[in-house]
Amino acid sequence: MTTNLILTNSLDEIAEFVTLLVIFIIVIGITYFSIRIVGNIQKEKLGRGNIQILETQKVSNTKYIQIVRIGKKCFAIAICKDSISYLCEVDEGDLQFNTDSSISKSNAESFKAIIDKFKKDKPED
């Protein structure tokens, strides 16, 4: 009788584990697709306006310099933790864009590529 009770407890624990695993996978799936949908909506909103960020350069942990196109004019601005300062107007003809930068490639990486990268770096036991 005790073996029957132990077997029943083991089956209950296995069923509970499988249920939790299925729920976890469903939550991860919903999160993944939600992030993709929200990201696509945000990308569409950013692409339609008259303001476009052309380039960003990090100066320190909380300070950046950005080149921004507003309408047909380009400006350099300094972005700090609590403020944004106008630096100068920039002639768009003077700008050179590196289309083969590693930053633009890393921004374009898919979620799956990032996960695969972490799987490769994971040490084997």
mmCIF file of all heavy atoms in Angstrom, residues 2-20:
data_model
loop_
_atom_site.group_PDB
_atom_site.id
_atom_site.type_symbol
_atom_site.label_atom_id
_atom_site.label_comp_id
_atom_site.label_asym_id
_atom_site.label_seq_id
_atom_site.Cartn_x
_atom_site.Cartn_y
_atom_site.Cartn_z
ATOM 1 N N THR A 2 1.978 1.214 0.703
ATOM 2 C CA THR A 2 2.853 2.382 0.733
ATOM 3 C C THR A 2 3.521 2.604 -0.622
ATOM 4 O O THR A 2 3.776 3.740 -0.998
ATOM 5 C CB THR A 2 3.934 2.230 1.819
ATOM 6 O OG1 THR A 2 4.674 1.054 1.570
ATOM 7 C CG2 THR A 2 3.325 2.234 3.194
ATOM 8 N N THR A 3 3.806 1.524 -1.356
ATOM 9 C CA THR A 3 4.386 1.700 -2.687
ATOM 10 C C THR A 3 3.374 2.347 -3.627
ATOM 11 O O THR A 3 3.747 3.125 -4.499
ATOM 12 C CB THR A 3 4.856 0.358 -3.280
ATOM 13 O OG1 THR A 3 3.767 -0.547 -3.309
ATOM 14 C CG2 THR A 3 6.001 -0.212 -2.471
ATOM 15 N N ASN A 4 2.114 2.021 -3.431
ATOM 16 C CA ASN A 4 1.049 2.640 -4.224
ATOM 17 C C ASN A 4 0.979 4.133 -3.931
ATOM 18 O O ASN A 4 0.818 4.953 -4.834
ATOM 19 C CB ASN A 4 -0.291 1.971 -3.883
ATOM 20 C CG ASN A 4 -1.032 1.547 -5.118
ATOM 21 O OD1 ASN A 4 -0.544 1.746 -6.220
ATOM 22 N ND2 ASN A 4 -2.192 0.967 -4.916
ATOM 23 N N LEU A 5 1.096 4.502 -2.665
ATOM 24 C CA LEU A 5 1.059 5.898 -2.251
ATOM 25 C C LEU A 5 2.278 6.653 -2.786
ATOM 26 O O LEU A 5 2.156 7.782 -3.268
ATOM 27 C CB LEU A 5 1.004 5.986 -0.716
ATOM 28 C CG LEU A 5 0.867 7.372 -0.112
ATOM 29 C CD1 LEU A 5 -0.423 8.031 -0.582
ATOM 30 C CD2 LEU A 5 0.889 7.286 1.394
ATOM 31 N N ILE A 6 3.447 6.040 -2.740
ATOM 32 C CA ILE A 6 4.672 6.657 -3.256
ATOM 33 C C ILE A 6 4.571 6.835 -4.763
ATOM 34 O O ILE A 6 4.949 7.878 -5.305
ATOM 35 C CB ILE A 6 5.909 5.815 -2.870
ATOM 36 C CG1 ILE A 6 6.113 5.853 -1.361
ATOM 37 C CG2 ILE A 6 7.155 6.311 -3.593
ATOM 38 C CD1 ILE A 6 7.189 4.907 -0.863
ATOM 39 N N LEU A 7 4.044 5.839 -5.458
ATOM 40 C CA LEU A 7 3.886 5.925 -6.907
ATOM 41 C C LEU A 7 2.911 7.040 -7.268
ATOM 42 O O LEU A 7 3.150 7.809 -8.197
ATOM 43 C CB LEU A 7 3.402 4.571 -7.466
ATOM 44 C CG LEU A 7 3.261 4.483 -8.976
ATOM 45 C CD1 LEU A 7 4.619 4.743 -9.643
ATOM 46 C CD2 LEU A 7 2.738 3.126 -9.373
ATOM 47 N N THR A 8 1.821 7.149 -6.528
ATOM 48 C CA THR A 8 0.832 8.195 -6.776
ATOM 49 C C THR A 8 1.442 9.569 -6.532
ATOM 50 O O THR A 8 1.237 10.491 -7.337
ATOM 51 C CB THR A 8 -0.407 7.998 -5.863
ATOM 52 O OG1 THR A 8 -0.922 6.693 -6.076
ATOM 53 C CG2 THR A 8 -1.478 9.012 -6.181
ATOM 54 N N ASN A 9 2.213 9.731 -5.455
ATOM 55 C CA ASN A 9 2.875 11.008 -5.179
ATOM 56 C C ASN A 9 3.871 11.356 -6.270
ATOM 57 O O ASN A 9 3.971 12.510 -6.686
ATOM 58 C CB ASN A 9 3.584 10.962 -3.818
ATOM 59 C CG ASN A 9 2.610 11.065 -2.667
ATOM 60 O OD1 ASN A 9 1.479 11.504 -2.841
ATOM 61 N ND2 ASN A 9 3.055 10.638 -1.494
ATOM 62 N N SER A 10 4.614 10.378 -6.749
ATOM 63 C CA SER A 10 5.585 10.618 -7.817
ATOM 64 C C SER A 10 4.892 11.056 -9.098
ATOM 65 O O SER A 10 5.341 11.983 -9.774
ATOM 66 C CB SER A 10 6.411 9.370 -8.084
ATOM 67 O OG SER A 10 7.178 9.033 -6.963
ATOM 68 N N LEU A 11 3.797 10.386 -9.438
ATOM 69 C CA LEU A 11 3.044 10.757 -10.641
ATOM 70 C C LEU A 11 2.458 12.157 -10.501
ATOM 71 O O LEU A 11 2.447 12.928 -11.476
ATOM 72 C CB LEU A 11 1.941 9.732 -10.921
ATOM 73 C CG LEU A 11 2.419 8.356 -11.396
ATOM 74 C CD1 LEU A 11 1.231 7.407 -11.550
ATOM 75 C CD2 LEU A 11 3.175 8.480 -12.696
ATOM 76 N N ASP A 12 1.967 12.487 -9.304
ATOM 77 C CA ASP A 12 1.438 13.834 -9.078
ATOM 78 C C ASP A 12 2.537 14.887 -9.240
ATOM 79 O O ASP A 12 2.310 15.947 -9.846
ATOM 80 C CB ASP A 12 0.827 13.947 -7.675
ATOM 81 C CG ASP A 12 -0.499 13.201 -7.550
ATOM 82 O OD1 ASP A 12 -1.096 12.882 -8.607
ATOM 83 O OD2 ASP A 12 -0.929 12.955 -6.399
ATOM 84 N N GLU A 13 3.718 14.607 -8.728
ATOM 85 C CA GLU A 13 4.829 15.554 -8.849
ATOM 86 C C GLU A 13 5.265 15.707 -10.301
ATOM 87 O O GLU A 13 5.560 16.817 -10.756
ATOM 88 C CB GLU A 13 6.003 15.093 -7.992
ATOM 89 C CG GLU A 13 5.747 15.230 -6.505
ATOM 90 C CD GLU A 13 6.867 14.655 -5.663
ATOM 91 O OE1 GLU A 13 7.869 14.168 -6.245
ATOM 92 O OE2 GLU A 13 6.736 14.678 -4.430
ATOM 93 N N ILE A 14 5.295 14.612 -11.034
ATOM 94 C CA ILE A 14 5.661 14.677 -12.455
ATOM 95 C C ILE A 14 4.616 15.458 -13.235
ATOM 96 O O ILE A 14 4.949 16.311 -14.070
ATOM 97 C CB ILE A 14 5.853 13.253 -13.031
ATOM 98 C CG1 ILE A 14 7.103 12.614 -12.419
ATOM 99 C CG2 ILE A 14 5.971 13.299 -14.549
ATOM 100 C CD1 ILE A 14 7.270 11.150 -12.770
ATOM 101 N N ALA A 15 3.347 15.224 -12.956
ATOM 102 C CA ALA A 15 2.268 15.949 -13.639
ATOM 103 C C ALA A 15 2.340 17.437 -13.303
ATOM 104 O O ALA A 15 2.146 18.292 -14.184
ATOM 105 C CB ALA A 15 0.914 15.377 -13.237
ATOM 106 N N GLU A 16 2.633 17.763 -12.064
ATOM 107 C CA GLU A 16 2.756 19.166 -11.667
ATOM 108 C C GLU A 16 3.942 19.824 -12.363
ATOM 109 O O GLU A 16 3.836 20.952 -12.852
ATOM 110 C CB GLU A 16 2.931 19.249 -10.149
ATOM 111 C CG GLU A 16 2.921 20.654 -9.609
ATOM 112 C CD GLU A 16 3.009 20.671 -8.090
ATOM 113 O OE1 GLU A 16 2.418 19.797 -7.440
ATOM 114 O OE2 GLU A 16 3.694 21.576 -7.582
ATOM 115 N N PHE A 17 5.060 19.120 -12.456
ATOM 116 C CA PHE A 17 6.232 19.650 -13.143
ATOM 117 C C PHE A 17 5.950 19.893 -14.621
ATOM 118 O O PHE A 17 6.305 20.943 -15.167
ATOM 119 C CB PHE A 17 7.427 18.696 -12.976
ATOM 120 C CG PHE A 17 8.633 19.126 -13.743
ATOM 121 C CD1 PHE A 17 9.399 20.195 -13.312
ATOM 122 C CD2 PHE A 17 9.004 18.471 -14.916
ATOM 123 C CE1 PHE A 17 10.518 20.609 -14.028
ATOM 124 C CE2 PHE A 17 10.108 18.875 -15.630
ATOM 125 C CZ PHE A 17 10.873 19.942 -15.191
ATOM 126 N N VAL A 18 5.324 18.928 -15.276
ATOM 127 C CA VAL A 18 4.994 19.073 -16.697
ATOM 128 C C VAL A 18 4.036 20.244 -16.899
ATOM 129 O O VAL A 18 4.193 21.029 -17.846
ATOM 130 C CB VAL A 18 4.417 17.750 -17.261
ATOM 131 C CG1 VAL A 18 3.844 17.943 -18.644
ATOM 132 C CG2 VAL A 18 5.491 16.670 -17.275
ATOM 133 N N THR A 19 3.062 20.390 -16.018
ATOM 134 C CA THR A 19 2.110 21.499 -16.114
ATOM 135 C C THR A 19 2.840 22.837 -15.984
ATOM 136 O O THR A 19 2.608 23.761 -16.771
ATOM 137 C CB THR A 19 1.027 21.381 -15.022
ATOM 138 O OG1 THR A 19 0.384 20.119 -15.159
ATOM 139 C CG2 THR A 19 0.017 22.494 -15.138
ATOM 140 N N LEU A 20 3.720 22.945 -15.004
ATOM 141 C CA LEU A 20 4.485 24.184 -14.831
ATOM 142 C C LEU A 20 5.383 24.467 -16.035
ATOM 143 O O LEU A 20 5.516 25.607 -16.462
ATOM 144 C CB LEU A 20 5.328 24.106 -13.556
ATOM 145 C CG LEU A 20 4.564 24.237 -12.245
ATOM 146 C CD1 LEU A 20 5.490 24.003 -11.061
ATOM 147 C CD2 LEU A 20 3.917 25.602 -12.142
#
